[in-house]
Amino acid sequence: MDEYLFEYLPILIFLGIAIGLATLMVVASMLVARQKPDAEKLSAYECGFNAFEDSRGRFDVRFYLVAILFIIFDLEVAFLFPWAVSLGTVGVFGFWSMMFFLFILTVGFIYEWKKGALEWE
């Protein structure tokens, strides 16, 4: 049992160093940086004006649809790259499995396109 625990020692050392360095950097930045915010620092960020509504307001559903489409096609790329690298070893079954996966994604994309989820007014 001690041999198994001894194999985890480098990981524990790495975690200790990482946590120590992260803590050191945060504490050092708090000590070195000037902690006197002025009016410019406290002003509205990036947009140039103060918020005029509650920040918990409702968003249009199309924002979520675009986000879901992005996730779908991001996952498609995440699956396609390892598949393309190992195409020689997965054989014909792997090829047709990926074609079926791409077909399902294409059907979903066409469905969203026909429903008008991609069109902005």
Side-chain angles (χ1 to χ4, degrees), residues 36-49:
K36 296 179 184 175
D38 56 357
E40 184 68 28
K41 257 190 190 178
L42 296 176
S43 66
Y45 178 70
E46 230 179 63
C47 62
F49 54 87

Side-chain angles (χ1 to χ4, degrees), residues 24-50:
L24 178 73
M25 284 188 249
V26 169
V27 170
S29 70
M30 290 175 70
L31 293 175
V32 173
R34 188 173 54 150
Q35 299 294 327
K36 296 179 184 175
D38 56 357
E40 184 68 28
K41 257 190 190 178
L42 296 176
S43 66
Y45 178 70
E46 230 179 63
C47 62
F49 54 87
N50 293 328

Side-chain angles (χ1 to χ4, degrees), residues 64-82 98 101-113 117-118:
Y64 299 110
L65 290 175
V66 170
I68 289 171
L69 277 175
F70 172 75
I71 290 172
I72 288 172
F73 289 108
D74 190 41
L75 286 175
E76 176 184 359
V77 171
F79 284 135
L80 276 175
F81 184 72
M98 185 55 73
F101 174 70
L102 292 174
F103 174 74
I104 291 173
L105 283 177
T106 304
V107 168
F109 180 69
I110 292 171
Y111 173 77
E112 287 211 23
W113 192 352
L118 302 174

